[in-house]
Amino acid sequence: MAEKLLKFVSIEKVMPAKRAAQQRLDDFNEVYAEFDPAAATEQASRCSQCGVPFCHIHCPLGNNIPDWLRLTAEGRLEDAYEMATSTNNMPEICGRICPQDRLCEGNCVIEKDFDAVTIGSVEKYIVDTAWEEGWIKPIKPLVELEQSVGIIGAGPAGLAAAEELRKAGYQVHIYDRHDRAGGLLVYGIPGFKLEKDVVGRRTGRLEQSGITFHLDFEVGREAALTDLRDKHDALLIATGVYRGRGLKVPGVGLGNIREALDYLITANKKGFGDTVPEFENGNLDAKGKNVVVIGGGDTAMDCVRTAVRQGAKSVKCVYRRDRANMPGSVREVQNAEEEGVEFVWLTGPEAFVGTENIDAVRAYKMRLGAPDATGRQAPEPVPGSSYDMDCDLAILALGFEPEDLPALFGAPELRVTRWGTVTVDHETMMTNLTGVFAAGDIVRGASLVVWAIRDGRDAATTIKKFLKDQKAVAA
Ligand SMILES: Cc1cc2nc3c(=O)[nH]c(=O)nc-3n(C[C@H](O)[C@H](O)[C@H](O)COP(=O)(O)OP(=O)(O)OC[C@H]3O[C@@H](n4cnc5c(N)ncnc54)[C@H](O)[C@@H]3O)c2cc1C
Ligand code: SF4
């Protein structure tokens, strides 16, 4: 039924139903259910349709949020879908995993006195419905163009660029070193945040649209960068960042101290039903273990929540600042606590203790001192506060850095920043190599899916211009 808008005064914010924590621990399925049509319409009708929509401004994709909320409230769901998809290649994925409290919803004008509109959940509802109704079809370009683009990396940046280029008729080839497309959407983010068939139907559609996927194809091993430059008229590097930041403390070389992504990739592969030797031999299975995850971001949250689902004996998250200063999303911390994760705030690792394998993490208490150059209070150890916590598996979730791409790609001429991210001209997104562009985490450093999509779309726009110019010169 069509609803009037501005109902935020009379209708309370309601989130889709959330499964009980005990039930969630039995599987890796998503935590939140779907809105039913009445709830979606009602929640969309809370939008105040303000003149300057801060939600739109703070969405990295500039989504026309008030418009698709209005269309949903009016029952015009197919129009709402067209509007949502005009600015975003995978709105239902963003609706699930964007940190909305820091982006659109955190800037909703009614948030000041009433709770924000549930923008992410409505976005997910609109586009999941579009899939169910068959409104989402493979791309049929109006013309087929001869020029081809090679994209290295099948994560959200590469996939978004591929879709935009294919719509324009270019021949698109995606190369990825993994055996499945999706990047961190399939092998980083666990199923309880994003079920894998949601990603699979997106990549499947791109395949049906004529995009060629070359999986198990590592650039640097199967081909050097220059081979791909010779093969394609333009290239996009969208390889993400994968080198885990290490810790320099005594005992760090002991067995069973692992990188977060090794752990999460293994868990995600198991979710697909794959045989993974490191899991089968118990090394990367948390079952029955005392697990300590070090770090306070979303990756740490994904690790602790995976460990409780694998049947760990105990799971602790050790973070050097306090709850208020945690980088991980508030919602994810709350979900983890409900699922039985223990947070050990204001605590840092001093050493790892053990003979061959780790037996304990020696930790000291921290306190927040004077603000540093960024304005954040710097944590400092409290003297004499060391103690040991039992640990059979320690997982380091301290952030990611780029791999050495010039060396990996056999392309020392590719210019990178001092942090190892690829240098681009921010107007064109082209690297120092003509016709080679870059987008996503490999340019920004570890960021968000929604920013990777934005970068992929922007890169597609400038690649199209580059290819047209090349064609004009050749004619
Ligand atoms: C555990 C975890 C949880 C996260 N949770 C969230 C979240 O909840 N919400 C959110 O918005 N963001 C989240 N992020 C961040 C988000 O996943 C990334 O910002 C985003 O995926 C970056 O997209 P990308 O396309 O640049 O790179 P990626 O998604 O990393 O994709 C890069 C692809 O390139 C491939 N590749 C790399 N090198 C080569 C090579 N040499 N040859 C061929 N292929 C190569 C990789 O296999 C990969 O498939 C999370 C990240 C992690 C690690
Ligand atoms: S893409 Fe992300 S930030 Fe933008 S409206 Fe959707 S959930 Fe909000």
Side-chain angles (χ1 to χ4, degrees), residues 110-121:
I110 64 169
E111 165 79 345
K112 303 287 167 283
D113 295 303
F114 303 86
D115 284 329
V117 177
T118 49
I119 296 169
S121 304

Side-chain angles (χ1 to χ4, degrees), residues 450-466:
V450 65
W451 279 113
I453 297 171
R454 164 73 193 266
D455 290 349
R457 293 171 69 88
D458 287 351
T461 303
T462 61
I463 291 172
K464 283 187 261 182
K465 180 171 180 326
F466 170 81

Side-chain angles (χ1 to χ4, degrees), residues 74-85:
E74 290 171 359
R76 294 167 57 192
L77 218 53
E78 195 164 354
D79 293 337
Y81 159 68
E82 291 296 343
M83 178 71 74
T85 205

